[in-house]
Amino acid sequence: MIENVKTEYAMTLVGEINAPVAINNRLIFNVLRGSFEGPGITGEMQQPAGDWIQVMPNGHWRLDVRFTILLDDGNHAYVNYSGVVHMDENFQARIGSGETITGDEIYFRSAPYIETNSEKYAWLNEYVFIGKLRTFGGGKVIYDIFKVL
């Protein structure tokens, strides 16, 4: 057991997606636009950006997300993350009907890896991050991202 693991809020990621393309056990989302915003950091998502979800035999999703962010200092950051979503038929139906679900209703976690050559944002290279869903639905996803101290 890990004792005394602490996190600190780092930023919020807002992304807009279109309907996925379904191929076998994959859902491929094109991320249309997005932004990062937090204490002392802002940035806009650049294209290409996408999420290649693997639907597991139990219906849960394995995330594989990749994109770049143009930071407010003019430098870029590369972001990729894996994650797990405890998806079931109820949540799929709700999302499919355009309803928004919250992170308090569903286990939807990510593990972002962020790297940059920005001096201002060099701290992004130095931490492990975790993301927790705030809301998902209606073509929009919002995560709060925390650095693990």
Side-chain angles (χ1 to χ4, degrees):
M1 178 178 192
I2 299 175
E3 302 268 341
N4 301 319
V5 173
K6 295 180 183 178
T7 61
E8 178 181 286
Y9 172 76
M11 65 198 81
T12 297
L13 167 63
V14 177
E16 293 182 36
I17 57 177
N18 60 3
V21 173
I23 301 172
N24 295 325
N25 68 333
R26 301 236 177 239
L27 298 173
I28 302 165
F29 287 89
N30 183 31
V31 182
L32 303 171
R33 65 190 61 73
S35 62
F36 266 174
E37 189 169 338
I41 185 170
T42 59
E44 292 296 320
M45 189 178 293
Q46 305 293 290
Q47 295 296 320
D51 188 352
W52 296 264
I53 291 173
Q54 180 180 12
V55 180
M56 305 304 289
N58 63 2
H60 294 343
W61 293 359
R62 291 272 184 196
L63 305 177
D64 177 5
V65 180
R66 301 172 207 181
F67 56 88
T68 59
I69 294 282
L70 177 60
L71 298 164
D72 61 11
D73 69 351
N75 286 290
H76 287 87
Y78 170 66
V79 181
N80 73 64
Y81 59 85
S82 59
V84 175
V85 180
H86 288 186
M87 186 57 67
D88 63 24
E89 290 179 9
N90 173 51
F91 287 126
Q92 287 177 344
R94 290 173 61 192
I95 292 167
S97 72
E99 186 177 340
T100 297
I101 58 174
T102 70
D104 292 334
E105 298 177 81
I106 189 171
Y107 185 90
F108 196 129
R109 303 291 188 273
S110 64
Y113 169 78
I114 307 170
E115 66 179 82
T116 185
N117 56 6
S118 167
E119 289 183 27
K120 179 178 179 181
Y121 296 113
W123 61 270
L124 294 170
N125 301 311
E126 300 170 0
Y127 288 93
V128 169
F129 295 90
I130 57 171
K132 182 182 184 293
L133 179 75
R134 189 188 298 175
T135 60
F136 177 45
K140 194 172 193 178
V141 61
I142 302 175
Y143 291 93
D144 289 322
I145 298 175
F146 303 84
K147 58 184 176 179
V148 179
L149 304 175

